[in-house]
């Protein structure tokens, strides 16, 4: 499976994704699911992918090749006038890929893929979208400041509780690590290494970009520290008295 | 939806279930999902239900009516020689109900139901089973000392982390309340009141049985206390330093 989160905070955007892909437990591979394009000083576009790997790879390739073919740059990721138009471009590409794969009338569910798209284009706000396999999309706002795709349930309660719009990038990274640790402990089809990226509002360049392996000292400290903190917090709650 | 947990501890068995049933968000009703039968001094049988309400009600009615019809008591819940035979009786009843509902060849998924069965019959150990819609079942052991049915994901990480075989009934009740609180905060189709039951090993009678409403002082203390404790524990973890 997959677990990816895109989080909108006052200071910008934070992205995290796992790297495990599987077709059955006997067919596990490692693929990055975080893709980024930038035109420094002008725009940053980040895409996280979940779902059928052939579909997501085709979508990224199509988006990517278009950015590379100078003669066809009219509708590329680096030329869309707004994040809304960027989301529409990604959505249309998804629809196109799935339509090309699924014969007419065939159930396209198996080829489905879901995306988190975030970024900022000069002159507009940072924006964050969730793009469905049907190509339509919704945008994050103050009530729903984050999107998750893939195995979303295990890691959701802590985000709901600890997210604050005013948090720092460091706190947001900590929050996502806790969320990924809970998910990864509960579902073996979500696995390390993790990819982490910061985008600072109005910077128009990719911020920190880091791959976190299972031997990463900070991740291990969080993983162990969170387990201990949970057990400790649990012990300190009053016992049931009937 | 539904959330039910059966937990095996050294001291016995602990059960908790929610009471919300829904067929779409515009059709919500309250139904208990915890059923118990006892022959004091000889046996206690507890059943938790999830899935199609018509199926679970029919299964419970059939099990129940059989216990009430004196002439047919050969194969009832109160006469099975072992918990294994009890699980088989419940499994066979599930299969029978689903087969009666689903026309030949029709997909029976919509009529599916899953059960947690626990209890103790004099001369044997307390046992805990998970019974599938197909009528087959698995038993809890030291490696897997609990079963969840329904909306199982949100509330699982805390059980994995805080469960200890040697815990008291009061600690187990606290653990389940935290697990139900996390679930209920994340999925509105799981709702209060909750039903809680203790069964003490070798007691052969139902222990504490309590319905916990949303105005229950202890539940509110746990719900608020856990939120605060999580936020606090999260704040005390070291921040990411890149």
């Amino acid at each position: 499976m997959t677990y990816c989160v895109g989080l909108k905070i006052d200071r910008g955007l934070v992205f995290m994704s796992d790297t495990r892909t599987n077709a059955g437990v006997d067919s596990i591979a490692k693929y990055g699911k975080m893709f980024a394009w930038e035109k420094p000083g002008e725009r940053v576009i980040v895409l996280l992918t979940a779902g059928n790997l052939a579909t997501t790879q085709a979508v990224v390739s199509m988006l990517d090749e278009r950015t590379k073919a100078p003669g066809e740059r009219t509708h590329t990721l680096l030329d869309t006038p707004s994040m809304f138009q960027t989301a529409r471009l990604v959505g249309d590409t998804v629809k196109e890929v799935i339509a090309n794969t699924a014969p007419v009338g065939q159930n396209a569910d198996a080829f489905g893929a879901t995306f988190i798209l975030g970024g900022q284009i000069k002159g507009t706000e940072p924006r964050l979208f969730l793009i469905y396999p049907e190509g339509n999309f919704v945008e994050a706002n103050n009530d729903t400041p984050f999107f998750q795709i893939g195995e979303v349930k295990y890691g959701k309660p802590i985000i709901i509780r600890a997210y604050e719009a005013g948090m720092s990038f460091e706190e947001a990274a900590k929050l996502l690590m806790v969320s990924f640790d809970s998910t990864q402990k509960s579902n073996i089809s979500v696995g390390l290494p993790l990819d982490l990226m910061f985008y600072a509002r109005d910077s128009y360049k990719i911020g920190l970009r880091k791959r976190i392996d299972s031997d990463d000292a900070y991740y291990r400290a969080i993983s162990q520290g969170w387990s201990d903190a949970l057990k400790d917090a649990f012990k300190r709650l009053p016992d049931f008295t009937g």
Side-chain angles (χ1 to χ4, degrees), chain A:
Chain A
M1 207 145 167
T2 284
Y3 182 39
C4 299
V5 181
L7 197 68
K8 197 175 168 185
I9 55 178
D10 291 345
R11 290 169 207 202
L13 301 167
V14 184
F15 304 92
M16 193 176 266
S17 58
D18 83 319
T19 52
R20 189 161 293 174
T21 303
N22 73 302
V25 288
D26 55 350
S27 173
I28 287 178
K30 198 166 86 179
Y31 282 98
K33 301 165 192 175
M34 181 183 287
F35 303 90
W37 296 264
E38 71 176 336
K39 209 187 233 182
E42 204 270 319
R43 72 173 62 198
V44 166
I45 310 285
V46 182
L47 193 66
L48 306 179
T49 68
N52 183 294
L53 183 63
T55 300
T56 61
Q57 283 192 346
V59 168
V60 172
S61 293
M62 284 173 73
L63 293 169
D64 220 12
E65 282 174 4
R66 285 179 189 176
T67 66
K68 286 173 186 164
E72 294 176 17
R73 293 189 59 169
T74 326
H75 295 295
T76 70
L77 280 182
L78 297 182
D79 281 323
T80 46
S82 67
M83 284 302 296
F84 182 90
Q85 291 294 345
T86 312
R88 183 176 278 176
L89 171 65
V90 175
D92 288 346
T93 309
V94 178
K95 271 195 293 191
E96 189 183 330
V97 168
I98 293 181
N100 282 346
T101 310
V104 178
Q106 184 177 329
N107 187 327
D109 287 353
F111 305 113
T114 312
F115 300 81
I116 292 173
L117 172 75
Q120 187 177 16
I121 294 174
K122 195 141 197 168
T124 65
E125 289 289 293
R127 295 176 76 175
L128 188 66
F129 296 89
L130 176 65
I131 301 172
Y132 297 103
E134 291 76 11
N136 58 344
F137 48 86
V138 294
E139 185 176 2
N141 63 7
N142 290 342
D143 294 324
T144 302
F146 65 91
F147 289 125
Q148 305 166 288
I149 54 178
E151 176 57 278
V152 304
K153 294 190 176 183
Y154 297 115
K156 191 176 183 186
I158 185 61
I159 303 183
I160 289 177
R161 279 167 162 130
Y163 169 86
E164 285 166 20
M167 70 201 315
S168 67
F169 281 107
E170 290 69 28
E171 286 169 324
K174 178 169 79 169
L175 176 57
L176 293 186
M177 291 212 191
V178 170
S179 176
F180 273 73
D181 180 54
S182 292
T183 306
Q184 188 261 120
K185 277 203 169 65
S186 298
N187 186 333
I188 55 157
S189 73
V190 173
L192 268 61
L194 307 176
D195 286 322
L196 171 67
M197 189 183 288
F198 294 159
Y199 171 73
R201 161 190 285 271
D202 301 340
S203 67
Y204 306 108
K205 63 180 170 55
I206 293 168
L208 175 114
R209 183 170 194 172
K210 187 171 181 182
R211 174 154 285 199
I212 294 147
D213 266 303
S214 55
D215 58 358
D216 181 90
Y218 179 71
Y219 184 81
R220 291 168 71 121
I222 288 294
S223 178
Q224 187 55 46
W226 184 241
S227 258
D228 294 344
L230 277 192
K231 285 182 205 163
D232 190 50
F234 178 71
K235 279 200 196 310
R236 279 184 290 114
L237 284 180
D239 272 354
F240 179 70
T241 49

